[in-house]
Amino acid sequence: MERSKNKSIRYWLLICGILNVVFYLLHDCIGARFYPGYNWMAQAVSDLTATDAPSRLIASEFTKIHGIFSCVACTLICIFAKELWKEASEKILRLGLYLFVTMHWISAIGYSLFPLTGSGYDGSFQSFVHVYVITVLVVLLSIVSLILIAVGGFKSGNKVLAWCAVVAFLMMFFGAAGSAAVPRAYFGIVERFSTYSAVCFTAVIAVIAFLKFGKIES
């Protein structure tokens, strides 16, 4: 009975982790089709869900579903972290995973409650919370969690997860640094390195956890 329950959780974890990426990609691709004149190479992906964006209605629905799947996947990982990474040497790795889950919940709830306007920061309370509270928390938690996962992964022998965390961190850093360095015409391309890094890394953790569950069951 317990084996059957774990197997069910294992597959839900994998499905939610992958669908998290699928629905984020759909929000980006389909949302752009409902935004006349949208240039993905120059514009941020968050423009699609801005309060005055013509694509907000359709794009925000996809991001809500993406948020649900990402939070479910991460929460399952968080709940079973001690079972999947139970060694004493994996304590740092587990802490990183917990912070990464926290980041996802703050992102999913915070950005839904405080979306940015199409014109960007306009000085309103909503914009202030979006930029200086939610974004700062998401960025800090992302950086700290990825560093901890990488350090903890290398220390405990979880090298695949560690290297994936390093790649996600570099993508995030490149996106943040590159956004200010590249010409405006290419801002959207560079910015997507940051946004997609956390989304794809969530799927990576889900796949790795899925495989670890399989080893435990066997």
Side-chain angles (χ1 to χ4, degrees):
M1 189 70 176
E2 185 67 27
R3 180 181 289 269
S4 177
K5 181 182 177 182
N6 283 347
K7 191 172 183 179
S8 176
I9 292 170
R10 178 188 174 198
Y11 282 103
W12 270 110
L13 178 64
L14 179 67
I15 291 168
C16 290
I18 293 174
L19 288 180
N20 135 74
V21 178
V22 171
F23 277 92
Y24 193 84
L25 186 61
L26 287 174
H27 124 268
D28 193 358
C29 297
I30 295 179
R33 295 177 65 87
F34 287 83
Y35 193 126
Y38 182 80
N39 182 359
W40 71 272
M41 295 178 66
Q43 291 181 257
V45 69
S46 58
D47 286 359
L48 297 169
T49 52
T51 54
D52 52 357
S55 57
R56 174 173 170 74
L57 188 61
I58 184 69
S60 60
E61 293 304 311
F62 284 114
T63 54
K64 287 176 185 175
I65 298 173
H66 147 73
I68 292 171
F69 281 124
S70 63
C71 286
V72 169
C74 282
T75 301
L76 286 174
I77 291 168
C78 192
I79 291 172
F80 294 98
K82 281 194 174 182
E83 181 179 347
L84 296 172
W85 295 281
K86 59 185 177 182
E87 303 299 327
S89 60
E90 296 174 319
K91 186 175 180 180
I92 296 175
L93 172 60
R94 289 198 305 272
L95 177 59
L97 291 171
Y98 296 149
L99 291 178
F100 191 76
V101 171
T102 303
M103 178 277 294
H104 262 294
W105 277 102
I106 291 174
S107 176
I109 296 172
Y111 287 133
S112 295
L113 294 176
F114 302 96
L116 203 60
T117 63
S119 58
Y121 184 77
D122 59 6
S124 66
F125 175 75
Q126 178 173 307
S127 292
F128 178 84
V129 174
H130 181 104
V131 175
Y132 294 108
V133 179
I134 307 300
T135 299
V136 170
L137 281 173
V138 167
V139 170
L140 288 177
L141 284 171
S142 296
I143 292 172
V144 173
S145 64
L146 289 173
I147 290 174
L148 289 175
I149 291 171
V151 171
F154 284 124
K155 183 179 179 181
S156 60
N158 293 276
K159 293 185 178 180
V160 174
L161 183 56
W163 278 115
C164 288
V166 170
V167 171
F169 177 81
L170 292 176
M171 286 178 63
M172 193 174 292
F173 179 79
F174 176 76
S179 295
V182 301
R184 182 66 191 179
Y186 303 107
F187 172 82
I189 297 176
V190 177
E191 187 258 358
R192 278 168 171 77
F193 276 89
S194 289
T195 56
Y196 276 93
S197 60
V199 175
C200 293
F201 186 63
T202 302
V204 168
I205 301 175
V207 171
I208 291 174
F210 173 83
L211 296 174
K212 286 185 74 68
F213 259 125
K215 289 181 180 179
I216 291 173
E217 290 172 3
S218 60

